[in-house]
């Protein structure tokens, strides 16, 4: 009997476009996830996948994205606690997922994670409005305004839970494939920070890498396959090289089809 396949799609900004290529490759091989948990860009791609949006439809959208199409500059950056608002990203997502779509409406079970700056804990969304949840999961501190919800102040889930393995396991996955599009950000560092925002984001990257390595070790027994596309020094915060990210994700999927098929008994 085929085992239940769960995908944990990690955070990654522009590098997260690799998730689209990865899922495209799996789909072409007839491999479908039974449940998905995502973080940040992984939550956006994962939500589209679980809503039944074909990756062939997602591909031309994500590979031609520009910052102006997803974000609006805040007039008062300090008061808004971020450079941009994801208002345009919300409208774009509504076109494909639906403004009122709830988790219970999705064709494939889905969860996503955000970080509550008040409690300091990871928040896992499994019910309510899907787009509200993925916007919270994708609000990179400093870059985008936090989301206020139910007494929480929510930002990117990648702050403490970059690849949501625990969440997909809780969904009943028997085989867990984790896709970490960021990998070792410390080893892959490119140019040194030259301003306040770059320095802050670099700080997050260093902590993020250490936390993710530690959690990967502690949860190793739950992970059947941990995959990282070869994206080199691609900057997750710059909306460029998106076609490259897609291609590397596609290559990663193609290279691991047989392994995944064997794990689930397909």
């Amino acid at each position: 009997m085929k085992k239940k396949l769960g995908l944990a799609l990690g955070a990654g900004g522009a590098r997260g476009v690799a998730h689209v290529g990865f899922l495209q490759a799996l789909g072409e091989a007839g491999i479908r996830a039974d449940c998905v948990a995502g973080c940040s860009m992984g939550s956006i791609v994962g939500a589209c996948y679980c809503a039944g949006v074909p990756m062939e439809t997602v591909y031309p959208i994500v590979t031609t994205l520009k910052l102006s199409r997803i974000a609006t500059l805040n007039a008062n950056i300090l008061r808004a606690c971020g450079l941009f608002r994801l208002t345009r990203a919300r409208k774009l997502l509504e076109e494909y997922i639906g403004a009122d779509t709830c988790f219970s409406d999705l064709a494939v079970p889905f969860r996503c994670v955000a970080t509550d700056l008040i409690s300091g804990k990871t928040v896992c969304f499994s019910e309510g409005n899907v787009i509200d949840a993925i916007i919270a999961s994708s609000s990179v501190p400093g870059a985008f305004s936090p989301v206020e919800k139910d007494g929480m102040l929510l930002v990117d889930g990648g702050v403490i839970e970059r690849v949501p393995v625990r969440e997909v396991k809780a969904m009943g996955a028997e085989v867990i494939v984790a896709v970490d599009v960021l990998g070792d950000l410390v080893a892959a560092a490119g140019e040194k920070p030259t301003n306040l925002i770059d320095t802050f984001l670099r700080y997050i990257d260093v902590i993020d890498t250490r936390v993710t390595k530690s959690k990967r070790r502690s949860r190793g027994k739950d992970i059947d396959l941990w995959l990282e596309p070869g994206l080199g020094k691609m900057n997750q915060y710059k909306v460029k090289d998106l076609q490259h990210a897609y291609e590397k994700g596609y290559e990663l999927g193609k290279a691991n089809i047989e392994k995944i098929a064997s794990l689930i008994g397909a």
Side-chain angles (χ1 to χ4, degrees):
M1 182 180 293
K2 179 179 173 292
K3 293 182 178 179
K4 185 175 182 179
L5 172 62
L7 300 180
L9 305 180
R15 292 168 68 109
V17 172
H19 289 310
V20 179
F22 178 78
L23 293 173
Q24 176 72 35
L26 263 58
E28 289 176 359
I31 296 175
R32 296 287 299 175
D34 297 293
C35 56
V36 177
C39 178
S40 198
M41 189 60 175
S43 76
I44 293 174
V45 177
C48 289
Y49 179 85
C50 293
V53 183
M55 290 299 106
E56 294 93 330
T57 300
V58 177
Y59 163 71
I61 300 167
V62 298
T63 54
T64 58
L65 274 182
K66 294 182 179 180
L67 183 60
S68 60
R69 196 179 177 196
I70 61 174
T72 305
L73 184 67
N74 282 315
N76 189 327
I77 294 171
L78 294 179
R79 189 176 182 82
C81 300
L83 287 172
F84 303 96
R85 289 171 291 153
L86 289 171
T87 48
R88 292 177 180 171
R90 176 182 289 276
K91 291 181 180 178
L92 182 61
L93 288 165
E94 288 175 353
E95 292 180 27
Y96 297 93
I97 295 176
D100 300 318
T101 298
C102 292
F103 282 79
S104 58
D105 299 322
L106 299 175
V108 177
F110 172 69
R111 294 182 183 178
C112 68
V113 295
T115 303
D116 177 19
L117 291 181
I118 295 176
S119 68
K121 297 179 180 179
T122 294
V123 177
C124 180
F125 291 99
S126 60
E127 58 184 20
N129 185 279
V130 172
I131 294 180
D132 284 350
I134 59 181
I135 290 295
S137 179
S138 306
S139 296
V140 179
F144 303 114
S145 299
V147 173
E148 294 187 45
K149 181 179 175 63
D150 300 332
M152 298 180 290
L153 192 62
L154 302 167
V155 296
D156 195 311
V159 172
I160 51 178
E161 195 70 45
R162 186 164 93 192
V163 186
V165 170
R166 179 179 59 184
E167 287 70 20
V168 80
K169 179 177 174 59
M171 298 172 80
E174 297 172 288
V175 172
I176 296 177
V177 175
V179 184
D180 181 13
V181 298
L182 292 178
D184 190 337
L185 289 170
V186 177
E191 301 173 355
K192 71 176 183 178
T194 57
N195 56 53
L196 177 62
I197 296 297
D198 283 350
T199 301
F200 177 68
L201 293 176
R202 175 66 177 151
Y203 167 72
I204 292 176
D205 287 348
V206 171
I207 295 176
D208 187 2
T209 298
R210 299 305 180 211
V211 170
T212 301
K213 282 184 175 181
S214 175
K215 290 191 173 182
R216 180 182 174 184
R217 286 193 297 269
S218 66
R219 296 172 185 168
K221 67 180 185 302
D222 296 325
I223 305 167
D224 295 280
L225 196 59
W226 181 281
L227 302 174
E228 298 178 7
L231 296 173
K233 295 182 178 181
M234 180 180 175
N235 191 325
Q236 64 169 316
Y237 304 114
K238 294 183 179 179
V239 188
K240 65 177 187 177
D241 299 327
L242 304 177
Q243 180 66 33
H244 170 70
Y246 171 85
E247 291 171 357
K248 287 300 181 181
Y250 186 80
E251 289 174 11
L252 184 72
K254 283 289 189 183
N256 287 278
I257 285 169
E258 290 185 8
K259 288 181 182 178
I260 296 171
S262 177
L263 284 167
I264 63 177

